[in-house]
Amino acid sequence: MLIIFDLDGTLIDSSKDLVISVNAMRDHLGLAPLDPLLIHSYVGNGAPMLVKRSLGPAVTNEMAERGLAYFLKYYRTHALQHTRCYDGIPELLRDLWAEGHKMAILTNKPAKISTDIVAGLGISQYFFRIYGGDSLFAKKPDPEGIRLLMEESDEPPVNTLMVGDSAVDVRTARNAGVRCCGVTWGIQPESFELNPPDFLIQSPRELRLELEVG
């Protein structure tokens, strides 16, 4: 089976480092810090959108470009300061890999930063591919990433599962014609109210149970 994981809010808790980096960017531009919960609500559509939303509706293109450049530079240096795998994730990945499942990461975070974080947390050996928001022609919820991963792994839609913590992941799965598992421990589980996944899990170990049943 092909299991495609989102990164932030699904495999890793990066919320604190993202908040620190966004507010460092705002400080660099002479702006006051934002509430962490507000920043969390902006996560999921890639770094350019995170920066644009964090700078407000009146942001100019020039300010957005300066903000993005500073944010990426700062975040690359601090991405592993507080970021950790969620409890149970390393064990889940180890067990799924041992059972012969094919696994990949599809995130809207830049690919180089994503790859560095996954390697730094010691879980990169479980994934045959990591696609970031700058790897492909379009970001999630565009289905291109899932379709390419299915092609590379030689797995059909019926044997593919997207696992994520937000409506973006659900819409990506729907657009690609595959099932979606939602996780409740992530950054935006409230977004499932309007975009429900096929099933929800409360802890990583529940994924293996669902795979055995399904």
Side-chain angles (χ1 to χ4, degrees):
M1 183 172 196
L2 171 60
I3 306 174
I4 303 170
F5 291 93
D6 171 52
L7 186 59
D8 298 271
T10 302
L11 296 176
I12 64 171
D13 182 0
S14 56
S15 56
K16 189 169 183 178
D17 285 327
L18 287 171
V19 167
I20 291 172
S21 299
V22 166
N23 279 331
M25 176 265 297
R26 284 181 58 87
D27 180 68
H28 177 72
L29 296 176
L31 302 172
L34 295 178
D35 182 89
L37 291 180
L38 182 60
I39 295 174
H40 293 168
S41 72
Y42 297 154
V43 174
N45 294 99
M49 187 60 70
L50 171 61
V51 167
K52 187 174 181 180
R53 288 171 174 171
S54 298
L55 292 177
V59 62
T60 64
N61 289 335
E62 187 272 337
M63 180 177 283
E65 290 176 3
R66 284 198 296 132
L68 178 61
Y70 186 87
F71 169 81
L72 291 175
K73 181 180 179 181
Y74 187 95
Y75 186 56
R76 285 190 189 102
T77 305
H78 298 83
L80 282 168
Q81 187 170 346
H82 302 283
T83 294
R84 299 290 182 270
C85 288
Y86 286 104
D87 290 343
I89 287 296
E91 295 81 3
L92 170 68
L93 297 175
R94 179 199 63 203
D95 292 344
L96 292 174
W97 183 80
E99 291 166 4
H101 294 290
K102 303 168 187 177
M103 294 183 286
I105 292 174
L106 180 61
T107 174
N108 281 340
K109 182 192 290 290
K112 179 63 167 62
I113 296 176
S114 301
T115 301
D116 289 346
I117 289 174
V118 171
L121 295 177
I123 57 173
S124 58
Q125 67 271 26
Y126 300 120
F127 305 102
F128 74 87
R129 191 76 70 236
I130 299 175
Y131 281 137
D134 52 355
S135 299
L136 306 169
F137 179 74
K139 298 180 176 68
K140 296 185 296 184
D142 188 278
E144 179 188 10
I146 291 182
R147 289 173 178 167
L148 185 56
L149 290 168
M150 288 192 293
E151 179 180 333
E152 292 175 343
S153 62
D154 196 28
E155 293 290 352
V158 70
N159 209 35
T160 299
L161 179 70
M162 178 79 209
V163 183
D165 74 309
S166 76
V168 173
D169 301 304
V170 177
R171 294 199 301 271
T172 308
R174 298 285 179 257
N175 291 339
V178 305
R179 291 193 305 152
C180 182
C181 166
V183 307
T184 61
W185 58 78
I187 299 174
Q188 295 182 359
E190 68 279 357
S191 64
F192 290 143
E193 293 180 11
L194 294 178
N195 295 269
D198 293 287
F199 59 94
L200 275 170
I201 57 174
Q202 309 289 327
S203 67
R205 64 184 178 84
E206 290 183 28
L207 179 57
R208 290 184 67 217
L209 297 176
E210 288 287 348
L211 291 177
E212 290 174 2
V213 172

